[in-house]
Amino acid sequence: GENVEQHPSTLSVQEGDSAVIKCTYSDSASNYFPWYKQELGKGPQLIIDIRSNVGEKKDQRIAVTLNKTAKHFSLHITETQPEDSAVYFCAASSPIMDTGRRALTFGSGTRLQVQP
Amino acid sequence: KAGVTQTPRYLIKTRGQQVTLSCSPISGHRSVSWYQQTPGQGLQFLFEYFSETQRNKGNFPGRFSGRQFSNSRSEMNVSTLELGDSALYLCASKEGPQETQYFGPGTRLLVL
């Protein structure tokens, strides 16, 4: 099955700096890669996603890049703000053997702390 | 549209009891997935339901079960609770085969 590794597990940056979180996946058939932000006491919230036919996607201060050859994808947050502090999860959608269906496998999460 | 709702938000049970958690998906969403989130294991997939049928199942014991109703609302049940079942249980919904799914706030279960 798919295996998603996420680094770093914790990241502390100064307000205004950029933050980068990286994930690698194992299944070359994975074709959809969402990123979720989870604040304390809340469920994960989808912040951006990318499909395998695209190399980069941007939404204001957030961008995601995908390298299919190397099987890794990254989340970039520019001009970080204290409200960006949360746990971020990456995920990869891969086929489930012999079913024709797909499932999401999540990374272990990155705790981002933005220091004011 | 209203988001995914889950009830109850918090629950305390004792070992050996059973528990039922409820999830109402976003209006129009027919797929509901359940996840268990713990500090040690992260987000782990439990099962997915679509049109009242279980489509996928994760690697959890048979004590964990679920169902989906005709209005797409879903319930999950855990029987014979163990201390290790203490976790945040998350429900996520999506419209159909597409993969963009949206999570609810979760039900935090504490087993004593």
Side-chain angles (χ1 to χ4, degrees), chain A residues 31-32 36 38 41-46 49 51 89 93-94 96 99 101-104 106-108, chain B residues 9-10 35 37 42-43 45 48 54-56 88 90 94 98-106 108:
Chain A
N31 64 356
Y32 172 68
Y36 288 86
Q38 187 173 25
K42 298 183 178 180
Q45 177 189 12
L46 179 71
D49 55 11
R51 297 194 179 273
F89 292 94
S93 175
S94 59
I96 302 169
T99 66
R101 300 173 191 143
R102 308 184 76 87
L104 277 179
F106 285 83
S108 53
Chain B
R9 292 293 313 277
Y10 304 93
Y35 294 83
Q37 187 177 30
L43 267 162
F45 172 73
E48 179 191 0
Q54 187 180 90
R55 284 167 45 98
N56 295 324
L88 181 67
L90 292 159
K94 57 183 182 174
Q98 67 185 64
E99 287 132 313
T100 304
Q101 61 180 8
Y102 300 90
F103 283 87
R108 186 163 295 283

Side-chain angles (χ1 to χ4, degrees), chain B residues 80-92:
Chain B
T80 320
L81 284 165
E82 301 177 359
L83 296 180
D85 297 333
S86 295
L88 181 67
Y89 289 89
L90 292 159
C91 165

Side-chain angles (χ1 to χ4, degrees), chain A residues 16-49:
Chain A
D17 287 350
S18 295
V20 180
I21 302 170
K22 299 181 180 181
C23 289
T24 59
Y25 60 99
S26 59
D27 190 339
S28 56
S30 288
N31 64 356
Y32 172 68
F33 308 91
W35 285 89
Y36 288 86
K37 172 185 180 182
Q38 187 173 25
E39 296 173 295
L40 202 60
K42 298 183 178 180
Q45 177 189 12
L46 179 71
I47 56 172
I48 195 167
D49 55 11

Side-chain angles (χ1 to χ4, degrees), chain B residues 25-95:
Chain B
I26 292 171
S27 177
H29 286 195
R30 294 162 61 193
S31 167
V32 172
S33 295
W34 288 90
Y35 294 83
Q36 181 194 66
Q37 187 177 30
T38 59
Q41 299 297 319
L43 267 162
Q44 292 188 287
F45 172 73
L46 280 155
F47 26 67
E48 179 191 0
Y49 285 86
F50 181 81
S51 293
E52 302 178 65
T53 302
Q54 187 180 90
R55 284 167 45 98
N56 295 324
K57 191 177 189 306
N59 191 23
F60 276 81
R63 300 185 297 106
F64 292 81
S65 62
R67 60 178 175 167
Q68 186 180 34
F69 302 95
S70 57
N71 61 358
S72 295
R73 191 178 69 85
S74 177
E75 288 181 348
M76 69 161 278
N77 184 278
V78 187
S79 61
T80 320
L81 284 165
E82 301 177 359
L83 296 180
D85 297 333
S86 295
L88 181 67
Y89 289 89
L90 292 159
C91 165
S93 77
K94 57 183 182 174
E95 284 188 49

Side-chain angles (χ1 to χ4, degrees), chain A residues 59-71:
Chain A
D59 183 5
Q60 298 182 3
R61 297 185 297 108
I62 294 172
V64 56
T65 58
L66 171 64
N67 184 326
K68 284 190 297 181
T69 305
K71 288 190 277 191

